[in-house]
Amino acid sequence: MVNGPKSTVTLILGMIGSDVLYLILACLGLATIANNWSEVFIAIRYIGASYLIYLGYKMFRVLPASQEGLKSEAGSAKQVGEVASFVQGFLISISNPKVILFYISFLPTFIDLNALTSSDIVLVSVLSAFALFTGLMMISVGASRMVVLLKTPSAQKRLNQVAGGIMILAGLYLALR
C-alpha cells in the first residue's frame, strides 16, 4: 500500500500464474486429476492453510511504523523480494480450493471442454489472465489510496490486526473444512 500499485505487480503475477495453471488443468480434466490425486490437493490445502495462518500471525503482531519507516522497509524488501513476492502470490492462490471449484463449475457453462483445442486453451488463459490482472490492479490502486487514512499508528495497528485476524481465520477455515 505504501509503495503504490506498482509494488504489487509481482504478487499479482504469482496469483495469476496459479489461477491460469488451475484453468489449464480444468480444461484438461481437473476433476479426473483431483479424483485420482486427491491427496496432493489435500496437502496443498494444508500447506496453504498453514501459510495463511503464519502470514496472519506475522501481520497481527507487527508494530505500527511511521510512513517513512514503512517506505524504507518496503523498498529494501522489494530489492530482495521480487521472487518471494511472486511465490507468495502463487502460494496464496494455489492453496485456495475454491479456485478449483470455480473453474470446474464455470468452464462447462461457457465452453465445451470436449471440443477444446490447444489454441482455445491459450486464448481462454490469456483472457483470464488479463481479467485477473485488471481486477487485482484495481484492488491494489484502491488499497494504495487507503494510505491516507492510515497515517496514525493506531489506525495501522487496527488494520494489521483485522487483516491478520482474517488471514488466520481463512487459514483455519481451510484446514478444518
Side-chain angles (χ1 to χ4, degrees):
M1 285 173 48
V2 174
N3 287 331
K6 287 182 184 177
S7 67
T8 63
V9 170
T10 54
L11 178 84
I12 289 171
L13 291 176
M15 294 175 77
I16 290 170
S18 63
D19 274 28
V20 168
L21 176 65
Y22 274 145
L23 173 65
I24 291 169
L25 289 174
C27 289
L28 299 175
L30 182 61
T32 303
I33 294 169
N35 286 334
N36 293 329
W37 290 6
S38 61
E39 298 84 20
V40 173
F41 287 104
I42 290 170
I44 289 171
R45 186 179 82 204
Y46 285 125
I47 291 167
S50 301
Y51 188 63
L52 278 175
I53 291 168
Y54 168 74
L55 288 176
Y57 176 76
K58 278 182 61 175
M59 185 176 281
F60 194 84
R61 300 277 303 165
V62 73
L63 296 174
S66 69
Q67 292 295 55
E68 289 307 311
L70 285 173
K71 285 182 183 178
S72 66
E73 276 181 33
S76 65
K78 183 176 181 170
Q79 293 170 355
V80 205
E82 292 298 324
V83 172
S85 179
F86 180 87
V87 169
Q88 182 179 8
F90 189 87
L91 288 174
I92 287 170
S93 192
I94 199 89
S95 64
N96 185 353
K98 287 183 231 148
V99 176
I100 301 167
L101 297 174
F102 171 76
Y103 285 123
I104 289 173
S105 62
F106 174 78
L107 284 178
T109 307
F110 297 99
I111 299 170
D112 180 6
L113 295 177
N114 296 323
L116 276 180
T117 65
S118 56
S119 61
D120 294 332
I121 294 172
V122 169
L123 178 63
V124 168
S125 297
V126 168
L127 291 174
S128 294
F130 177 76
L132 287 166
F133 186 80
T134 302
L136 291 170
M137 282 304 293
M138 289 173 60
I139 291 168
S140 181
V141 167
S144 71
R145 302 217 176 186
M146 291 294 293
V147 169
V148 175
L149 301 174
L150 298 174
K151 288 191 177 194
T152 67
S154 63
Q156 292 172 16
K157 182 177 180 180
R158 279 192 308 275
L159 175 68
N160 288 340
Q161 289 177 338
V162 168
I166 289 170
M167 291 177 80
I168 290 169
L169 289 173
L172 290 172
Y173 174 77
L174 275 177
L176 300 174
R177 200 174 74 84

